[in-house]
């Protein structure tokens, strides 16, 4: 299957600082990328959907000014957690699809474990 | 927003027993996908169902899509310890939402 690389795999940051997470599709062009967060033993909660070259669509309850998403190219999307707080500690994971339709499988990055101290 | 619920949330089975997880959506889905996530890992695609009433098999796994395209099931026959993990359905309507997941533990 296609490869999606997510970096970093884990990060520890101080409260109040910002953290950027990168999601790259290595061997295909990702028209659509999704960002999820997952708390321990819970499901993946969709945060936002981003299409290359356009603004991300955020799910209800997700602060767009806090979780900045940039999908500047067909192979790269970034999620920046601004002014991070301990409650932002979570597992963040991206996925990417190619094509404009929804009948294609999603390929997932390895995830990023964020700990805010 | 779209709600995709799965039951049960947890399931413990003896090795060799069968296992089924059910996925229910509040809205009609364009298609449904199933993923498996091992502890500490990321979700891995298993299969996609598109047609109403579709049934697909992968060795010991049987996937079914409901006639109304609002529910789906995954059945594993004769579970093995390698089946351990959390199984998620993912429903596609306007977005791509994951179900709540079923965590499977297989007791040797």
């Amino acid at each position: 299957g296609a490869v999606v690389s997510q970096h970093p795999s884990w990060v520890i940051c101080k409260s109040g600082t910002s953290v950027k997470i990168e999601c790259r599709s290595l061997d295909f062009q990702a028209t659509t990328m999704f960002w999820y967060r997952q708390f321990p033993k819970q499901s993946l909660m969709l945060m936002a959907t981003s299409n290359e070259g356009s603004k991300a669509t955020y799910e209800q309850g997700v602060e767009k000014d806090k979780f900045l998403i940039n999908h500047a190219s067909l192979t790269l999307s970034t999620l920046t957690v601004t002014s991070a707080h301990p409650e932002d500690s979570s597992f963040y994971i991206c996925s990417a699809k190619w094509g404009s339709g929804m009948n294609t499988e999603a390929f997932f990055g390895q995830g990023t474990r964020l700990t805010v101290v | 927003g779209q709600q995709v619920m799965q039951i049960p949330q947890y399931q413990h089975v003896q090795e060799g027993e069968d296992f089924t997880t059910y996925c229910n959506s509040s809205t009609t889905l364009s298609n449904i996908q199933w993923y498996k996530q091992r502890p500490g890992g990321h979700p891995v695609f298993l299969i996609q169902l598109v047609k109403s009433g579709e049934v697909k098999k992968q060795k010991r796994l049987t996937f079914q899509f409901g006639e109304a395209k609002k529910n789906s099931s995954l059945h594993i026959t004769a579970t093995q310890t390698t089946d351990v993990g959390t199984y998620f359905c993912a429903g596609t309507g306007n977005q791509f939402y994951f179900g709540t997941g079923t965590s499977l533990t297989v007791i040797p």
Side-chain angles (χ1 to χ4, degrees), chain A residues 38-70:
Chain A
Q38 185 178 35
F39 291 105
K41 298 187 178 182
Q42 293 189 23
S43 185
L44 294 87
M45 301 303 298
L46 180 64
M47 298 175 67
T49 302
S50 74
N51 294 293
E52 184 265 339
S54 60
K55 289 184 178 180
T57 302
Y58 289 80
E59 293 298 302
Q60 191 173 10
V62 178
E63 300 176 57
K64 59 180 67 177
D65 293 331
K66 181 169 182 63
F67 298 99
L68 301 178
I69 291 172
N70 187 305

Side-chain angles (χ1 to χ4, degrees), chain A residues 33-100:
Chain A
M33 285 190 173
F34 304 91
W35 286 95
Y36 299 86
R37 66 186 296 181
Q38 185 178 35
F39 291 105
K41 298 187 178 182
Q42 293 189 23
S43 185
L44 294 87
M45 301 303 298
L46 180 64
M47 298 175 67
T49 302
S50 74
N51 294 293
E52 184 265 339
S54 60
K55 289 184 178 180
T57 302
Y58 289 80
E59 293 298 302
Q60 191 173 10
V62 178
E63 300 176 57
K64 59 180 67 177
D65 293 331
K66 181 169 182 63
F67 298 99
L68 301 178
I69 291 172
N70 187 305
H71 192 167
S73 76
L74 284 171
T75 59
L76 174 64
S77 178
T78 60
L79 167 67
T80 302
V81 183
T82 62
S83 187
H85 289 99
E87 57 265 31
D88 298 325
S89 299
S90 187
F91 186 64
Y92 293 86
I93 193 164
C94 69
S95 72
K97 278 173 165 270
W98 59 271
S100 57

